Amino acid sequence: MAIFSKTALGQTNGNANSRSIISEREFRNQYANAVKKFKSGYQNVECHFDCSYSKYKLQAHLLAKDDSVVGIMNYAKATPLQGQYCSNLFCITPNYVFHLDKTKPGAPYLLSSISHDKKQVIRARAITARDLDIYLFAASSMFEVSVETMLEMPSFKIEKIERYAPTEDEAEEVVSLYFSMNDDTWILTKGHLVFAPYLNWAVLEYNCRCNFTNNNYVIYSGLNNFTPLQKNGVPILKYAEHKEIHYEDEKILSPASNYSVKLLNFSFGTVDDSDFLLSNYGLPDSPLAAPRPATNNLMQWFLIGNGILLALIVFSIILQRFRTVRSPENL
């Protein structure tokens, strides 16, 4: 199930004297402080990555500012997706989400979908986790799952947690954590994480099991390599490898899906509010305006009916008075 880097293998199989105990309370306190730094450090960040999937390659341009994110995926020509589009863009903000497609290089972006519904905003963020969390937010994620979210789950249980002293392969100590989960709302059941406290507790590697049924499950695993801590106290993902293997009855259902990513460049403080507008991509911003609340049709007809009835009553009274005035007795 597990995959290990050379460092982790050396530490796991090395002298037991290199291990030391770290309490769950100490870990949770230190990781909570790390999360605060992550959230503060990633308030305005922009990265370009070279990405390679099992069947295609792309360049990803990822931007994040406050609670808004943009992902621009430019696909290589020799990919299965080239026949559909060469570029795909998603933008997710607290107020709306939109998707754009580009059919060929040099062509304008076309609006594929847009929604202001809060549920759709949350759903879109979950769907794009594979494009965002395992790259832009890899330091605080396990594949598509936020480590912070996982730690807050009531059923999350730390089975074993140990600190490993520096070795010949690793100049700094790392922390190894094994966990299990028992929650019907999550398919995640157990896993292993290796943290780097010297990189603000960034995730160096992980593996986990997600059960669809007892005999049908997927193993996710990954290795991350980061830049040193930046001035804002957070590292940036430099290189990563991820693997996904689907099993049924202990047999592999299909060839493993492999993902890798290589950092091209990054910057802090370069993301502007205009990056989250349609006009930044050559389209009018009018669809971004929140739609007016729809009036209930029954209420509309009720008001119209009452208006007509009132008009008829007034007209009847005026007509009656006119007839009274014009009657022979009053002439």
Side-chain angles (χ1 to χ4, degrees), residues 257-327:
S257 296
N258 296 291
Y259 311 81
S260 66
V261 57
K262 181 181 180 181
L263 178 68
L264 298 176
N265 56 66
F266 69 93
S267 60
F268 292 100
T270 55
V271 182
D272 189 79
D273 291 341
S274 62
D275 290 313
F276 308 100
L277 299 176
L278 285 168
S279 55
N280 197 52
Y281 309 101
L283 297 170
D285 285 327
S286 52
L288 300 181
R292 294 179 179 179
T295 305
N296 188 290
N297 287 335
L298 290 177
M299 181 60 70
Q300 277 187 324
W301 285 112
F302 176 76
L303 294 175
I304 292 172
N306 281 346
I308 294 174
L309 179 60
L310 179 61
L312 289 174
I313 292 173
V314 172
F315 179 76
S316 177
I317 293 173
I318 294 174
L319 182 62
Q320 183 64 35
R321 289 181 178 178
F322 178 78
R323 286 177 176 175
T324 301
V325 172
R326 296 291 298 174
S327 64

Side-chain angles (χ1 to χ4, degrees), residues 24 28 142 145-158 179-189:
E24 179 173 344
R28 286 184 176 273
M142 183 185 69
V145 181
S146 161
V147 175
E148 179 191 18
T149 300
M150 190 170 61
L151 289 172
E152 292 175 349
M153 295 298 295
S155 68
F156 182 86
K157 181 182 179 182
I158 294 179
F179 69 89
S180 63
M181 289 184 67
N182 182 19
D183 191 324
D184 292 338
T185 60
W186 282 52
I187 60 173
L188 180 61
T189 58

Side-chain angles (χ1 to χ4, degrees), residues 56-58 73-77 79 81-82 85-88:
Y56 55 91
K57 295 182 179 181
L58 63 92
M73 310 300 173
N74 295 314
Y75 297 91
K77 291 184 178 180
T79 71
L81 295 174
Q82 177 63 20
Y85 46 77
C86 68
S87 182
N88 173 253

Side-chain angles (χ1 to χ4, degrees), residues 17-162:
N17 292 332
S18 66
R19 307 177 190 178
S20 62
I21 301 298
I22 174 173
S23 69
E24 179 173 344
R25 182 177 180 179
E26 180 184 356
F27 164 73
R28 286 184 176 273
N29 286 340
Q30 292 193 30
Y31 193 78
N33 291 330
V35 168
K36 293 178 182 178
K37 288 184 180 179
F38 278 130
K39 290 181 177 180
S40 174
Y42 285 91
Q43 286 300 301
N44 190 314
V45 60
E46 182 174 4
C47 295
H48 287 83
F49 293 103
D50 256 341
C51 306
S52 178
Y53 289 73
S54 295
K55 296 181 180 180
Y56 55 91
K57 295 182 179 181
L58 63 92
Q59 280 197 353
H61 181 191
L62 306 178
L63 307 95
K65 184 179 181 183
D66 300 327
D67 295 324
S68 300
V69 292
V70 165
I72 305 172
M73 310 300 173
N74 295 314
Y75 297 91
K77 291 184 178 180
T79 71
L81 295 174
Q82 177 63 20
Q84 301 174 28
Y85 46 77
C86 68
S87 182
N88 173 253
L89 183 151
F90 62 80
C91 173
I92 304 170
T93 77
N95 299 315
Y96 55 78
V97 54
F98 63 78
H99 287 82
L100 307 178
D101 292 330
K102 185 180 289 188
T103 55
K104 59 183 179 180
Y109 274 112
L110 302 176
L111 182 60
S112 175
S113 65
I114 186 169
S115 177
H116 295 79
D117 184 81
K118 296 297 182 182
K119 292 183 180 178
Q120 290 300 319
V121 170
I122 295 173
R123 181 173 180 271
R125 183 61 185 84
I127 291 174
T128 58
R130 183 167 298 193
D131 294 322
L132 281 170
D133 296 342
I134 66 174
Y135 300 148
L136 190 57
F137 305 117
S140 57
S141 300
M142 183 185 69
F143 198 62
E144 301 173 17
V145 181
S146 161
V147 175
E148 179 191 18
T149 300
M150 190 170 61
L151 289 172
E152 292 175 349
M153 295 298 295
S155 68
F156 182 86
K157 181 182 179 182
I158 294 179
E159 301 291 348
K160 183 172 66 172
I161 181 168
E162 294 177 316

Side-chain angles (χ1 to χ4, degrees), residues 5-6 13 40 64 80 89 105 115 127 186 191 195 215 229 235 252 254 307 320:
S5 64
K6 182 180 178 182
N13 298 325
S40 174
L89 183 151
S115 177
I127 291 174
W186 282 52
F195 297 95
N215 297 323
L229 288 179
I252 298 177
S254 57
Q320 183 64 35

Side-chain angles (χ1 to χ4, degrees), residues 190-246:
K190 60 182 178 179
H192 173 227
L193 290 153
V194 176
F195 297 95
Y198 64 97
L199 291 175
N200 195 43
W201 288 84
V203 176
L204 291 181
E205 59 185 271
Y206 68 85
N207 61 80
C208 63
R209 172 170 171 156
C210 293
N211 280 14
F212 302 115
T213 66
N214 289 335
N215 297 323
N216 190 318
Y217 59 93
V218 173
I219 300 296
Y220 297 100
S221 55
L223 297 171
N224 297 324
N225 185 275
F226 295 93
T227 67
L229 288 179
Q230 303 303 303
K231 291 182 179 179
N232 57 3
V234 298
I236 294 293
L237 182 68
K238 188 164 60 176
Y239 181 78
E241 294 179 358
H242 306 276
K243 183 177 291 187
E244 177 182 339
I245 307 177
H246 194 172

